[in-house]
Amino acid sequence: MNFTFTEEQLLIRETAERFFRDDYGIDTRRHNVAMPDGFCRETWARYADLGWLALGIDEDFGGVGGGAVEMAVMMEAFGRGLAVEPYLSTCVLGGALLRLGAADGVKPALLGQLAEGKLLLSFAYSEARSRYDLNHVECRAVKDGGEYKVTGEKTVALHAGQADKIAVTARTGGDARDAGGITVFLIDRDAPGVTVRDYPTVDGFRAGSVRLDDVAVDAARVLGDVDGGLALIEQVVDFGAAMLAAEAAGVMAALTDQTVTYLKERKQFGRPLGDNQALQHRATEMYIETELTRSLAYMAAVRADDADRTAAARAASKAKVKTGRAGRLIGQEAVQLHGGMGVTEEMPVGHYFKRLTMIDHTFGDAAHHLARLAENPA
Amino acid sequence: MQLTLTPEELAFQAEVREFLNANIPAETKRKVDLGLKLSKDDYVTWQKILYERGWIAPAWPKEYGGPGWSPIQRYLYEEELAACSSPRLITFGLKMLGPVLIEFGTDEQKKRFLPRILSSEDWWCQGYSEPGAGSDLASLTTRAIRDGDHYMVNGQKTWTTLAQHANWIFCLVRTNTDVKKQEGISFLLIDMKTPGVEVRPIQTLDGGVEINDVFLTHVRVPAENLVGQENQGWTVAKFLLGHERVGIAGVARSKKQMARVRAIARAEMKGGRPLIEDVRFNERMAEVEIELTALEMIELRLLSEEAAGRKPGPEASILKLKGTQVQQAITELLLEAVGTNVHALDPGILEDHWPPEGMNEDLFSPEYAATVASHYFNWRKASIYGGSNEIQRNIIAKAILKF
């Protein structure tokens, strides 16, 4: 057992933290959010140059290797920097889908493009009536010779409007909530019959509704097994949850730092706010909850590629419950302890609070993962 | 102890309900139900309807235009107002300045300002907080220097809610710097059209612009606009914050919001069934409802004591503290209820007309979900404004520990 980072991992962290400290402040973020794509393509190209997009991809496919822990280190730095570039949708979800599910014939080229920053991906698995249930799929795919015809509507697909390809979950058999009969298809965003409604999200990201009208997909573009896609979907979303927990730990650490600084600087009644023990203890709770979240996030990252899928799933759910609950406490306390300044657009604290809140509602909220743990006892 | 309403109270409730439901404008009701922004005209139109009926200022004494209701009647009225989807009435004139003028104002001031508050001809805003004086309000530095029959005012007020609609502002200003800080403050009424008054919007984290900075630069204010004695402003300020308890906890509005949670839970699906059937979600609703019921019972007990002539204690602080906690807990339930629909941001919700005509089918998410996240973010202000919840705890601590 060993909980220390390798030299490579420390180097990734140091490089990423320096980048966000020196080149990516809150004003850069505002600027990037306001761009047509909702993020900065030049910044994305820099991520590629720095090798960040190649993390988790085999050297044989143009990657730099590394795995979930390296990517968690990256995500934590993105959280601290409040980055809006599509790393989660493209590298975390998209990368995992390709790595675990793409056919040998297409995998090397796709992963190579992803590592170079030339391929943006989106994962459209959610539907209007599915809530957080991954098995709830109403979108249909019908086999037609060597291809499938996909019809249906997906909701809240991260960066669907910016992606080059969209991975879509569709039903090749069974009924809306059956575990079997689900298949994942990799569809070109500009394929005939695909309509994406792109919109901003409350935390400065982009998402979209994806309508599919009889969209033709080659059978070679199936990711994972036909009718057996749910295992792949669950593994990828659990991986996403683990990575989000790491991002959340970075957001929490930033909020705690900002709040401690404010408590020391802001004076009322002739002394710093931080002189009040009642407020010191609240900052202390923020710090403790950040460390607990960070620890569970690392555990979930280490477990992510475990052959024992139950262990990996439980680790992801534990991390996600903690992320949701600690995130709510830390976000709310950060705003409250900043007083009126905390509710202004001008202060970074509100932007971090919004991201933390939306992280809870991505890949299943705390209530969903708590129920999942309770209903599937170890 | 008696929890059921008397026949007279029931008749009163029915009369109020009938009038409010028959007269609230449909568009205003829709906006309130969906949590959308209201225009100045929406507020003023509705307040004028209540004014014409004689119900705009339920707590004012009859001789100044109040309806002469008992505390229980006022409570029932608040409840019916919320139930009919009334907007929050603009409190600065009706619940803050009005009672202050009735208590401390000269006959001239009463005659000049009270009728215009009742009729919504004047829109007042509150000039209390300053960049350096938030929780520590008494350390305010906006300076008013007497110059013949005028005061010359210089300084900056902040967090001024809806100052963009206001034509008058009541301000706490420093008139003496040589005494203990609470003893050098005065309460001054300032016409917003006076040269040197400048309003600048402050954008909040949800993207809205409800609050403002108000800059006062060489503003000449007639001395007759002083309320109470010079340097007595702190007494006036404390009276203003402490005198009204009906509605401070927002119980009626919270009940209405709980109904909204249930309506959304009927529309949202979980595990293939409506969310309203989910036991775990029902538990979380029940937990909030227990707090809400307890809060309502505290409020009713206090009202009964008030009717019996007992002086208010620190309970107003419980109402503010607990009331905002319940309101915020409900915003959390709403977040949970809408599920994945929470993410989409339609910038149109920040306008006071949404959605544009015929745009309904183009919404990013169901209509009921559009404002849920922004409301959650925006409502964090409730535990900060009007004396933060930390300040309320200080008040209660002082009262029970008696240090």
Side-chain angles (χ1 to χ4, degrees), chain A residues 211-228:
Chain A
R211 211 169 72 214
L212 305 138
D213 291 313
D214 224 16
V215 178
V217 199
D218 193 290
R221 293 305 183 93
V222 167
L223 300 175
D225 300 329
V226 172
D227 286 342

Side-chain angles (χ1 to χ4, degrees), chain A residues 131 133 156 177 197 199-202 266 268-269 282 328 332 336 339-340 343 345 353-354 361-362 367 375, chain B residues 131-132 134-136 159 203-205 269 271 280 284 332 336-337 343 345 362 364 376 380 383-384 390:
Chain A
R131 204 174 180 84
D133 295 340
V156 206
R177 296 186 56 77
R197 278 205 72 216
Y199 54 78
T201 62
V202 292
R266 171 74 174 173
Q268 290 281 272
F269 303 103
R282 287 165 70 174
R328 178 169 286 182
Q332 293 180 352
Q336 183 74 22
V343 296
E345 203 277 340
F353 171 46
K354 288 195 279 187
H361 295 272
T362 306
E375 285 161 13
Chain B
S135 288
D136 184 10
W159 315 133
Q203 197 175 22
T204 45
L205 77 172
M269 300 296 284
R280 290 192 177 92
R284 284 190 281 281
E332 292 170 8
E336 185 182 343
H343 294 276
L345 171 68
D362 287 337
F364 301 131
Y376 169 75
R380 301 311 307 170
S383 48
I384 295 169
E390 288 71 32

Side-chain angles (χ1 to χ4, degrees), chain A residues 158-304:
Chain A
L158 272 173
H159 290 111
Q162 293 71 40
D164 303 298
K165 294 182 192 297
I166 304 173
V168 171
T169 62
R171 196 155 276 293
T172 37
D175 292 325
R177 296 186 56 77
D178 289 348
I182 300 171
T183 307
V184 186
F185 298 92
L186 190 63
I187 293 175
D188 291 337
R189 194 201 50 191
D190 55 9
V194 177
T195 319
V196 178
R197 278 205 72 216
D198 167 54
Y199 54 78
T201 62
V202 292
D203 51 350
F205 281 63
R206 291 297 184 91
S209 311
V210 182
R211 211 169 72 214
L212 305 138
D213 291 313
D214 224 16
V215 178
V217 199
D218 193 290
R221 293 305 183 93
V222 167
L223 300 175
D225 300 329
V226 172
D227 286 342
L230 185 59
L232 171 66
I233 298 165
E234 284 180 344
Q235 185 169 355
V236 168
V237 172
D238 278 338
F239 179 59
M243 294 300 111
L244 261 190
E247 182 188 343
V251 175
M252 291 172 188
L255 280 171
T256 304
D257 285 354
Q258 289 161 21
T259 303
V260 166
T261 301
Y262 190 78
L263 289 177
K264 288 162 95 165
E265 285 175 357
R266 171 74 174 173
K267 289 194 172 71
Q268 290 281 272
F269 303 103
R271 60 198 178 119
L273 287 180
D275 273 9
N276 294 284
Q277 195 179 44
L279 303 189
Q280 289 170 6
H281 285 182
R282 287 165 70 174
T284 305
E285 288 299 320
M286 293 170 69
Y287 169 76
I288 293 169
E289 290 297 316
T290 300
E291 289 306 316
L292 293 174
T293 305
R294 196 198 304 268
S295 303
L296 285 172
Y298 292 161
M299 175 192 72
V302 171
R303 286 258 189 262

Side-chain angles (χ1 to χ4, degrees), chain A residues 291-363:
Chain A
E291 289 306 316
L292 293 174
T293 305
R294 196 198 304 268
S295 303
L296 285 172
Y298 292 161
M299 175 192 72
V302 171
R303 286 258 189 262
D305 292 323
D306 207 309
D308 178 358
R309 292 318 306 155
T310 310
R314 287 185 65 81
S317 280
K318 283 178 182 172
K320 200 61 180 45
V321 172
K322 177 51 91 180
T323 295
R325 295 198 165 168
R328 178 169 286 182
L329 176 98
I330 291 167
Q332 293 180 352
E333 288 288 69
V335 170
Q336 183 74 22
L337 294 175
H338 274 78
M341 291 308 293
V343 296
T344 63
E345 203 277 340
E346 182 193 344
M347 293 290 277
V349 59
H351 300 272
Y352 282 85
F353 171 46
K354 288 195 279 187
R355 177 65 190 142
L356 204 43
T357 304
M358 289 306 126
I359 283 176
D360 181 29
H361 295 272
T362 306
F363 309 146

